[in-house]
Amino acid sequence: MSRARALWQRVPTPVIDVVLVAVAAVDVWLNMGEPTRLGVALAAVGCAALAFRRRFPLGVFLLTLPVALMQDVAVAVLVALFTLAERSRNRRLLAVCVALSAVASSTPWPLAEVDRTMTLVFFVYALATSAAPVLFGQLLQAQRDLARRLAEIEEAREHERTLHAQAVLARERAQLAREMHDVVSHQVSLIAVRAGALQVAAKDADAREAARTIRSLSVTTLDELRTMVTLLRASGGHTTELTPQPTLADLRNLVESSGTHVELSGELPPAVGTPAQRALYRTVQEALTNVRKHAPGATACVELWQDGDGIGVTVTNTAPTRPSLSLPGSQQGLVGLRERADVLHGTLDAGPTAQGGYRVRLRIPLDAD
């Protein structure tokens, strides 16, 4: 059926109009009872008007009504009714047109003595015949509306899929930015600090030069990393975690390899969820990285604690004992930590202490997941 419809749609409109006018004219010629000059003229006008039915459907229908007076079933009237029903949404107008067509078809022509019973029977048949093209036209109109609505729904779904893909990409970019900062920056900054210390302590000129080169490359890498993190975070949002991720079991190794004198104290219950463990680990990692970069020579204290239905960690460092190295910062570390805390319905506080040091404190619910 769809194939036949496609073939029908390929037929030019003028050809269809000519064929319909010809069919209507042949129908009048074969079925007109007693032709008169007036009847032939009205029939000719009604048949010719079918060529303009798309532009003036109601006017064409009215012009074809005289044809219904001259024969029981007129093709011209049925075509005009179908075109009007296909284009009009006024149900009352369509009902009036059906009634007019039925009255015209059931009225004797030329007017003579009327048999009321037969006229009523003819009227019922004419009413059913006139209603058929109207119902078919309305069905076709509803089908077009449904196809248009389905196309709109599909377009909306495609747009929704595009937005979802963009949102997923944005989350992945923000997640990648966070992991790059947490992991890569931690390691590279440690290399830069160790290279700076080696450059100062080395006796051999070649060793000092090698240490200077290593430190310079580390600083450049951190600077480029900062740019990449900024670009990646530009379209990001709250993220899910990549796996595998470190947990509290890796915290002691982090403290021992931090390059800073750190005292680890306290413990947490074993029921702490994996997301909460990762948040605590990343907080300690970021805080110790900042200590190495901005407070050379300082000591730090990492305290794990439980407070009622909440758990947390506090990282406090003393004032620096020597000038800090000029290392670039991404300015995104604490932002990322606050985002992690928000996701877990926790809080993060960070700020200087009265003794010239710095303190970072994370608190999250014990049942955070």
Side-chain angles (χ1 to χ4, degrees):
M1 185 173 180
S2 59
R3 186 175 182 181
R5 182 182 302 171
L7 292 175
W8 174 258
Q9 291 176 348
R10 293 180 183 178
V11 180
T13 300
V15 174
I16 298 176
D17 293 338
V18 171
V19 171
L20 288 178
V21 171
V23 171
V26 171
D27 175 66
V28 171
W29 178 60
L30 293 176
N31 297 289
M32 183 178 289
E34 297 180 4
T36 62
R37 288 187 177 182
L38 178 59
V40 171
L42 291 176
V45 171
C47 292
L50 291 178
F52 306 95
R53 71 190 190 283
R54 294 184 179 86
R55 296 184 62 183
F56 311 104
L58 181 58
V60 169
F61 166 73
L62 295 176
L63 289 176
T64 60
L65 273 180
V67 181
L69 290 169
M70 306 173 198
Q71 58 189 87
D72 295 335
V73 179
V75 172
V77 179
L78 298 181
V79 172
L81 276 174
F82 169 77
T83 305
L84 180 62
E86 184 188 12
R87 283 164 168 72
S88 175
R89 299 182 183 275
N90 190 335
R91 301 279 180 87
R92 292 183 179 179
L93 174 63
L94 295 177
V96 170
C97 291
V98 169
L100 287 176
S101 175
V103 169
S105 298
S106 59
T107 301
W109 183 266
L111 294 176
E113 185 178 350
V114 178
D115 185 345
R116 295 184 178 180
T117 303
M118 293 306 297
T119 300
L120 181 60
V121 172
F122 288 150
F123 175 77
V124 173
Y125 279 106
L127 193 65
T129 303
S130 300
V134 171
L135 294 176
F136 185 66
Q138 288 284 283
L139 177 63
L140 190 60
Q141 183 185 99
Q143 185 182 24
R144 286 201 305 264
D145 293 342
L146 180 60
R148 189 183 309 112
R149 181 58 179 164
L150 289 176
E152 292 175 355
I153 292 175
E154 183 60 29
E155 183 180 355
R157 286 180 177 175
E158 184 64 28
H159 181 64
E160 183 180 354
R161 285 193 290 266
T162 301
L163 292 180
H164 178 71
Q166 292 175 352
V168 170
L169 179 60
R171 289 196 298 269
E172 290 178 350
R173 292 178 65 181
Q175 180 173 305
L176 179 60
R178 176 178 296 169
E179 299 306 324
M180 286 178 61
H181 180 273
D182 289 344
V183 178
V184 181
S185 178
H186 172 77
Q187 302 296 335
V188 175
S189 61
L190 179 59
I191 294 173
V193 171
R194 294 292 179 88
L198 179 61
Q199 182 181 356
V200 174
K203 303 295 185 179
D204 184 67
D206 293 337
R208 287 197 301 269
E209 180 62 22
R212 187 195 66 79
T213 301
I214 294 174
R215 179 177 173 275
S216 177
L217 292 175
S218 300
V219 171
T220 302
T221 301
L222 283 174
D223 193 34
E224 293 177 352
L225 177 64
R226 177 192 61 185
T227 303
M228 293 175 62
V229 168
T230 302
L231 291 175
L232 288 172
R233 291 180 63 90
S235 61
H238 292 315
T239 68
T240 55
E241 300 291 343
L242 288 174
T243 55
Q245 292 289 327
T247 60
L248 292 180
D250 305 297
L251 194 58
R252 185 164 299 279
N253 291 334
L254 174 67
V255 169
E256 293 176 353
S257 62
S258 65
T260 304
H261 180 72
V262 182
E263 179 182 350
L264 177 62
S265 62
E267 60 182 23
L268 294 176
V272 178
T274 302
Q277 293 189 46
R278 287 198 286 258
L280 293 169
Y281 181 94
R282 294 304 187 194
T283 300
V284 175
Q285 184 183 55
E286 176 64 23
L288 295 182
T289 299
N290 289 336
V291 171
R292 289 195 308 272
K293 292 168 59 176
H294 306 298
T299 60
C301 176
V302 177
E303 178 186 2
L304 302 171
W305 47 267
Q306 181 176 1
D307 179 15
D309 59 349
I311 58 174
V313 63
T314 302
V315 182
T316 308
N317 64 273
T318 61
T321 59
R322 58 179 183 270
S324 61
L325 298 173
S326 179
L327 295 175
S330 66
Q331 305 299 320
Q332 300 294 339
L334 292 178
V335 173
L337 294 181
R338 286 193 173 92
E339 289 179 358
R340 289 178 183 271
D342 290 340
V343 170
L344 298 175
H345 307 290
T347 58
L348 180 82
D349 300 317
T353 63
Q355 294 76 24
Y358 203 83
R359 178 172 56 232
V360 177
R361 183 178 185 273
L362 171 69
R363 184 185 188 279
I364 51 180
L366 180 60
D367 58 351
D369 52 20

